[in-house]
Amino acid sequence: MNRIVNAIKGRLPAHFADRMEERIGGLRDFERLESHDSSALTITCDDSARRDQDIVSVLDSQNLKGVISVSPDLVGTDGFLDYAALRDMQAGGHELAFHGNDHSPFTDIHPLRKLTDSVAEGLSRLQDQGLSTQTVVYPCGNNNRRIRQALAPFFRAGVSTWFGVNSGKRINRYSIRRVPFGAYASQHAPSEHWYRDMIDVALREPRWIILMLHPGSTEHTPDHTAMLQRLTQYALERGLPIRSVSEHLDTLQPEPVRGNDHFQAGVS
Ligand SMILES: [Zn+2]
């Protein structure tokens, strides 16, 4: 697990160029998240570590649904959930997201056809195990303009590690921003008060806050899990909906058409 954590840390500067490319290029039609006029809080757990179960237990106790991202090659290996546990989570209403076959960053897979073949294969492996996914959580967060276009036909949305709260007219449906919680959070703002403030803002204006958790990392402690429970309770008491990614997308209209020739033209 800490191998994954270190891989992510080593790649943070590489995201700068991809973020600049997104800003300069602007959003294409399929990337635009239309009518984002309602707030929500989403809890995502990356990597499907066994310790994700702690977070799922917190959510279950409040009748909430979260997102668990899964890399098929890691399922059932040391420290990671097996397929039976993932099926139980899905049956309990939690959303499973695709996280690459072996957690290799998509920017390292060339040519693009190899990436799309690998994604198709991974999705079919999950399907064979009775699991379905509508969302991709990019391994190590890496995504760029070509990757988003190539993967749009496979998924309803793509989630990055790029920092931010999603608001306004510039939300990229295939590069949705997150706010780290627990592991990776120290460089931004670790205090409970800071997260509560973020929730308070979302109660006043449309904000989609997606917390990024890595419960399998040693940087995520039991104190973080307890803090998460207090924060979800705080949000619930004030009326902020807590939804999975697909649940929140269901509240928005309309969806772009996916899987047409325009998207396929970018695959090589
Ligand atoms: Zn990951």
Side-chain angles (χ1 to χ4, degrees), residues 24-250:
I24 292 166
L27 297 185
R28 293 161 287 182
D29 285 348
F30 73 93
E31 292 173 305
R32 241 178 281 282
L33 190 65
E34 303 289 359
S35 309
H36 191 262
D37 56 4
S38 62
S39 288
L41 173 64
T42 298
I43 312 298
T44 64
C45 294
D46 284 14
D47 307 327
S48 66
R50 283 213 189 108
R51 289 179 62 204
D52 288 11
Q53 187 66 63
D54 299 345
I55 305 303
V56 168
S57 297
V58 165
L59 297 176
D60 285 345
S61 72
Q62 297 166 312
N63 197 26
L64 301 173
K65 312 306 174 198
V67 181
I68 310 292
S69 61
V70 181
S71 298
D73 282 0
L74 301 180
V75 175
T77 62
D78 190 27
F80 294 90
L81 294 166
D82 60 20
Y83 278 118
L86 292 168
R87 276 192 291 272
D88 282 350
M89 288 177 180
Q90 182 175 259
H94 299 288
E95 178 177 358
L96 301 182
F98 184 66
H99 200 41
N101 280 332
D102 62 358
H103 205 280
S104 296
F106 290 167
T107 43
D108 287 359
I109 302 174
H110 307 285
L112 212 49
R113 172 63 72 187
K114 191 174 165 192
L115 172 62
T116 52
D117 285 351
S118 136
V119 168
E121 190 232 330
L123 292 179
S124 125
R125 283 166 71 190
L126 293 177
Q127 205 166 20
D128 289 346
Q129 293 290 338
L131 305 177
S132 62
T133 54
Q134 302 181 15
T135 300
V136 58
V137 174
Y138 302 108
C140 304
N142 291 71
N143 72 97
N144 61 33
R145 208 165 160 81
R146 293 179 76 231
I147 288 171
R148 291 193 296 274
Q149 180 166 329
L151 297 194
F154 293 93
F155 301 102
R156 241 179 133 185
V159 177
S160 179
T161 55
W162 296 356
F163 178 84
V165 172
N166 303 285
S167 66
K169 294 187 174 174
R170 289 191 50 83
I171 301 177
N172 189 335
R173 160 188 288 274
Y174 288 98
S175 193
I176 297 173
R177 274 36 171 192
R178 291 191 289 177
V179 176
F181 181 90
Y184 309 114
S186 56
Q187 61 178 315
H188 296 294
S191 81
E192 188 164 349
H193 184 75
W194 186 85
Y195 288 103
R196 279 205 307 264
D197 281 352
M198 196 161 53
I199 289 169
D200 290 341
V201 173
L203 292 166
R204 295 195 298 269
E205 48 201 71
R207 296 283 168 104
W208 189 8
I209 304 165
I210 306 185
L211 297 184
M212 174 179 79
L213 281 68
H214 286 80
S217 163
T218 52
E219 292 179 22
H220 182 102
T221 67
D223 283 349
H224 289 125
T225 302
M227 196 209 298
L228 182 78
Q229 178 144 26
R230 292 193 297 274
L231 285 170
T232 48
Q233 192 62 37
Y234 181 86
L236 283 175
E237 285 167 0
R238 283 154 185 80
L240 179 64
I242 301 177
R243 303 176 175 136
S244 69
V245 169
S246 52
E247 275 181 321
H248 190 52
L249 291 177
D250 285 343

